[in-house]
Amino acid sequence: MANAYFLHKKCFITGAASGIGRATALAAAQEGADLFLTDIALVPLEEVVTEIRRLGGKVSEHRALDVSSFEAVSDFARDIHRDYGSMDIVMNIAGISTWGTIDKLKHQHWKKLIDVNLMGPIHVMENFIPPMIRAGRGGHLVNVSSAAGLFGLPWHAAYSASKFGLRGISEVLRFDLKQHGIHVS
């Protein structure tokens, strides 16, 4: 029996081809969600879509893209909103990690972690949350952080910077979106 919370809800999930994102997509499909999936890796994304559909789940749209590209996220969001309207649930799960001491991390490590782990979710929120507000149906925003977003760990400076930032945004949006019936986790 599907969980009534997810049943027929339009659910956007990033990082859906592997790890937590894949497991979440499979679980949401099993609970009756209408899925809109993305991941940077095309072949694994298509494999997840095939598996979900084989198991009787619904994937209305999927697209391989890099969440660090505002243009790519905006293009997908525009197409989804044109054809399906606003989402009910948005889950920012895509993320990467790099560890090392400050003397070993290069500028490109810092930049890539911030671009994917912090700016990627911001790109998604910029494109998907305002239409949810305008739709007036409430909903849910999930931003996956990490223990490294709660407290400092050795060798995690760049990763923690991105995850602390995402956690901070989530805490603010929990207050800002409450008036619209949009919950933030």
Side-chain angles (χ1 to χ4, degrees):
M1 181 71 176
N3 179 331
Y5 185 80
F6 286 95
L7 191 60
H8 307 300
K9 296 274 176 63
K10 292 179 280 185
C11 182
F12 183 82
I13 301 174
T14 69
S18 64
I20 296 169
R22 181 181 183 281
T24 301
L26 288 163
Q30 185 177 8
E31 296 296 330
D34 179 3
L35 299 177
F36 298 79
L37 306 177
T38 189
D39 196 278
I40 196 167
L42 176 61
V43 173
L45 178 61
E46 289 178 340
E47 290 169 353
V48 169
V49 169
T50 299
E51 181 177 357
I52 289 169
R53 289 176 175 159
R54 183 181 54 76
L55 295 170
K58 183 176 182 182
V59 179
S60 287
E61 292 289 337
H62 68 284
R63 185 176 298 175
L65 61 84
D66 183 345
V67 294
S68 71
S69 168
F70 179 74
E71 293 76 18
V73 173
S74 296
D75 289 346
F76 194 30
R78 184 186 58 249
D79 293 346
I80 288 171
H81 292 125
R82 179 193 64 226
D83 296 339
Y84 300 95
S86 66
M87 296 291 102
D88 299 299
I89 302 166
V90 172
M91 297 187 178
N92 278 309
I93 301 175
I96 60 170
S97 60
T98 297
W99 295 283
T101 57
I102 188 109
D103 58 317
K104 302 288 189 262
L105 291 171
K106 304 291 184 221
H107 178 76
Q108 65 266 20
H109 296 127
W110 291 89
K111 182 162 180 20
K112 187 69 174 174
L113 285 167
I114 296 298
D115 285 348
V116 173
N117 295 349
L118 182 57
M119 292 309 299
I122 289 170
H123 297 156
V124 169
M125 290 182 284
E126 285 180 298
N127 280 282
F128 286 92
I129 301 305
M132 288 173 71
I133 292 170
R134 288 190 296 273
R137 295 189 314 269
H140 208 117
L141 169 64
V142 176
N143 288 326
V144 174
S145 183
S146 163
L150 297 171
F151 48 85
L153 298 168
W155 296 37
H156 283 67
Y159 183 70
S160 286
S162 67
K163 294 301 186 172
F164 264 89
L166 185 57
R167 187 176 132 240
I169 290 168
S170 300
E171 288 184 10
V172 170
L173 291 180
R174 185 173 295 121
F175 297 110
D176 292 352
L177 296 176
K178 184 177 183 178
Q179 65 182 316
H180 303 289
I182 299 172
H183 304 279
V184 179
S185 300

